[in-house]
């Protein structure tokens, strides 16, 4: 069975319904379930028709924890995570299912909402070592879109991108799931992709599986740099070797008071144990896959 998990917070009802209807239209004859996590929307998500389970958080949990919640409720052997504002080519699902048994974390190619402009095929990891909020820059790893079609099939990519991800349940369990630490929004793709490589699963983009994503200039809910920087630090401290973390977290100083408090309260050590249990690569080997050609541990950045 395929489990589609959609996380929605203050999404326009017509846009969310189009996403759900698109999943129905592109998965005929397949055993499936659709789970929608309403992550504290001001106006609760209404009925979306038969075969859709809606669970509501009265207080927003954030993207990563809402996705984790949805996957915990899902019963399928194949797990698919989606944003609430998506459209789909007719054959996107069958193309991705052709590669799911590889065990890798998969993403579709990422287009505009009507799937006429774009063509992004996963992403590269890019390091930002400075804090300049006026220029829209904060420390940490960020995606750099891949714009060249990699050819048919499923091409290895450093990072999944595009808000449509597929993985076998067994692989998801190997990773330990989405991070239970993250707040509001930020670093989900970086974290999950790095952990997929760290655990030996890898990440791939199915280039001819085309999905559309409704891009917006602003979020429909508040997102602050404190949330983004906390998520980046939680990602670094749970995934990388301690000597790597010591170098990578330097650009985050000085920490804001909220970030310092959240880090002290987060219990990162327990989650780090889960992540490190799946480790199959050293950090040097990991960086050779996600940032080839970059000297470890980024001391020159």
């Amino acid at each position: 069975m395929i489990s589609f998990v959609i996380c929605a917070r203050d999404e326009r009802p017509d846009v969310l319904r189009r996403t759900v209807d698109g999943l129905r239209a592109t998965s005929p004859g397949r055993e499936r379930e659709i789970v929608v996590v309403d992550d504290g929307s001001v106006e609760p998500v209404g009925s979306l028709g038969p075969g859709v389970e809606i669970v509501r958080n009265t207080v927003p949990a954030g993207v990563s924890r809402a996705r984790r919640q949805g996957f915990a409720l899902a019963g399928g052997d194949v797990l698919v995570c989606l944003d609430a504002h998506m459209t789909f080519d007719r054959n996107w699902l069958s193309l991705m299912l052709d590669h799911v048994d590889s065990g890798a974390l998969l993403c579709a190619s990422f287009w505009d909402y009507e799937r006429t402009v774009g063509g992004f095929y996963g992403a590269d990891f890019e390091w930002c070592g400075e804090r300049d909020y006026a220029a829209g820059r904060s420390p940490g790893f960020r995606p750099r879109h891949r714009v060249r079609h990699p050819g048919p099939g499923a091409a290895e990519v450093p990072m999944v991108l595009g808000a449509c991800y597929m993985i076998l349940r067994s692989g998801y369990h190997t990773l330990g799931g989405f991070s239970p630490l993250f707040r509001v929004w930020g670093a989900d793709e970086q974290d999950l992709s790095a952990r997929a490589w760290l655990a030996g699963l890898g990440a791939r983009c199915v280039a001819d599986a085309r999905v559309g994503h409704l891009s917006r200039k602003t979020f429909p809910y508040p997102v602050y740099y404190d949330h983004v920087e906390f998520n980046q630090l939680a990602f670094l401290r749970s995934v990388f070797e301690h000597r790597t973390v010591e170098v990578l977290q330097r650009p985050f100083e000085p920490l804001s008071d909220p970030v310092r408090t959240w880090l002290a309260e987060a219990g990162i050590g327990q989650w780090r144990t889960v992540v490190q249990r799946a480790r199959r690569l050293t950090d040097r080997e990991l960086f050779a896959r996600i940032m080839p050609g970059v000297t470890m541990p980024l001391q020159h950045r």
Side-chain angles (χ1 to χ4, degrees):
M1 184 170 72
I2 306 167
S3 295
F4 298 110
V5 174
I6 301 169
C7 297
R9 181 178 174 186
D10 296 327
E11 190 62 72
R12 280 171 36 195
D14 61 315
V15 171
L16 176 56
R17 178 169 287 279
R18 184 175 179 184
T19 302
V20 171
D21 289 345
L23 292 177
R24 289 193 181 105
T26 56
S27 59
R30 298 188 185 274
E31 186 180 5
R32 66 167 183 240
E33 64 176 351
I34 302 174
V35 178
V36 175
V37 180
D38 176 0
D39 193 30
S41 298
V42 174
E43 293 294 330
V45 170
S47 173
L48 293 166
V52 180
E53 178 183 2
I54 301 172
V55 294
R56 174 167 168 79
N57 296 329
T58 55
V59 177
V63 173
S64 184
R65 284 186 273 187
R67 288 172 169 173
R68 184 180 179 92
Q69 178 185 2
F71 273 18
L73 295 170
D77 304 304
V78 175
L79 304 175
V80 184
C81 170
L82 306 117
D83 276 4
H85 33 269
M86 309 288 294
T87 61
F88 312 93
D89 267 13
R90 176 186 53 79
N91 61 346
W92 78 276
L93 181 59
S94 60
L95 289 171
M96 292 191 72
L97 288 172
D98 285 344
H99 301 281
V100 71
D101 284 336
S102 70
L105 173 65
L106 302 178
C107 70
S109 64
F110 171 33
W111 295 71
D112 75 326
Y113 195 53
E114 301 302 334
R115 305 185 308 285
T116 57
V117 178
F120 300 118
Y121 307 98
D124 293 298
F125 279 79
E126 185 174 77
W127 175 252
C128 178
E130 64 177 335
R131 179 186 283 135
D132 184 353
Y133 294 160
R137 297 170 66 84
S138 62
F141 289 104
R142 58 190 182 187
R144 185 175 69 246
H145 296 56
R146 289 193 164 194
V147 297
R148 180 176 297 177
H149 190 287
E156 289 189 345
V157 292
M159 188 192 307
V160 297
L161 191 73
C164 178
Y165 313 125
M166 177 182 289
I167 192 169
L168 291 174
R169 174 177 292 277
S170 57
Y172 181 74
H173 285 168
T174 295
L175 299 181
F178 288 101
S179 174
L181 305 178
F182 288 177
R183 291 175 172 267
V184 187
W185 178 90
D188 289 62
E189 284 74 17
Q190 296 94 311
D191 172 70
L192 196 66
S193 300
R195 289 193 285 119
W197 282 109
L198 190 70
L201 302 182
R204 300 183 184 185
C205 177
V206 184
D208 292 329
R210 296 170 30 139
V211 302
H213 183 268
L214 180 63
S215 296
R216 296 176 286 210
K217 294 182 179 180
T218 60
F219 289 92
Y221 49 84
V223 177
Y224 302 111
Y225 277 110
D226 282 344
H227 301 139
V228 175
E229 292 195 9
F230 167 80
N231 290 357
Q232 286 279 349
L233 285 164
F235 160 44
L236 299 182
R237 293 184 180 188
S238 57
V239 170
F240 296 102
E241 296 166 2
H242 291 299
R243 65 180 180 272
T244 308
V245 175
E246 290 175 5
V247 174
L248 295 181
Q249 67 183 3
R250 289 173 189 165
F252 292 85
E253 296 292 344
L255 300 179
S256 70
D257 289 341
V259 170
R260 191 180 303 278
T261 299
W262 295 338
L263 288 170
E265 297 173 349
I268 291 176
Q270 184 176 357
W271 174 239
R272 177 179 172 84
T273 298
V274 173
V275 173
Q276 297 303 314
R277 190 180 298 136
R279 177 184 282 273
R280 297 294 181 270
L281 302 177
T282 66
D283 276 7
R284 188 172 299 278
E285 292 168 330
L286 173 62
F287 272 85
R289 287 162 174 78
I290 67 173
M291 295 184 76
V294 176
T295 304
M296 275 290 298
L298 300 180
Q299 291 174 311
H300 67 295
R301 291 288 179 117

